[in-house]
């Protein structure tokens, strides 16, 4: 069982920045990568970004490219999502998740999820 704990959400004005963290203390060497998803109010959960633990390959949704940066510290079993130039439409609950497969874009590839952290961007 991999436990994931997010932190770093909050309220920010449009154009501002936030950094989310995801601690995965029970991560095993077989874990392929870490993903970030978000669920806006009244909408489906959607992919934001993902990173492979070993090589550090990164994957982004088009709507965050150039604004968000995903990174990881494998020694600390922690992943990060740096969010810059935030927009009101980025308002959502953000979740980190762990995958053991290479299909980073699909939420069905992630068996383990954190509890989520709220990000609210005011206009």
């Amino acid at each position: 069982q991999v436990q994931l704990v997010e932190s770093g959400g909050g309220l920010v004005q449009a154009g501002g920045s936030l950094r989310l963290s995801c601690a995965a203390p029970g991560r095993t060497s077989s874990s392929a990568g870490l993903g970030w998803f978000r669920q806006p109010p009244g909408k489906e959960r959607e992919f934001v970004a993902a990173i492979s633990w070993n090589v550090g390959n990164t994957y982004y949704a088009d709507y965050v490219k150039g604004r968000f940066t995903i990174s990881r510290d494998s020694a600390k079993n922690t992943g990060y999502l740096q969010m810059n130039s935030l927009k009101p439409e980025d308002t959502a609950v953000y979740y980190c998740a762990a995958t053991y497969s290479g299909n980073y874009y699909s939420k069905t590839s992630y068996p383990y999820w954190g509890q989520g952290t709220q990000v609210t961007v005011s206009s």
Side-chain angles (χ1 to χ4, degrees):
Q1 185 82 12
V2 176
Q3 290 185 322
L4 302 166
V5 181
E6 302 100 335
S7 61
L11 174 64
V12 65
Q13 288 188 330
S17 298
L18 283 174
R19 188 193 194 206
L20 305 183
S21 298
C22 176
R27 183 180 77 87
T28 66
S29 59
S30 60
S31 175
L34 182 79
W36 287 96
F37 289 75
R38 68 187 186 186
Q39 188 162 13
K43 296 185 179 181
E44 296 287 322
R45 195 170 299 188
E46 60 187 16
F47 173 77
V48 175
I51 188 168
S52 62
W53 281 113
N54 52 359
V55 178
N57 292 330
T58 57
Y59 310 84
Y60 294 96
D62 288 342
Y63 36 80
V64 304
K65 279 181 183 177
R67 300 188 299 122
F68 292 11
T69 302
I70 190 171
S71 61
R72 90 280 187 246
D73 185 332
S74 297
K76 295 182 179 179
N77 289 337
T78 300
Y80 306 95
L81 185 67
Q82 177 67 43
M83 306 185 294
N84 299 329
S85 302
L86 283 162
K87 305 174 181 179
E89 52 263 43
D90 293 318
T91 295
V93 177
Y94 283 71
Y95 298 88
C96 68
T99 180
Y100 290 81
S101 78
N103 186 0
Y104 292 103
Y105 293 95
S106 173
K107 56 181 179 287
T108 60
S109 298
Y110 295 80
Y112 301 107
W113 294 80
Q115 81 286 354
T117 186
Q118 177 70 45
V119 171
T120 303
V121 184
S122 63
S123 57

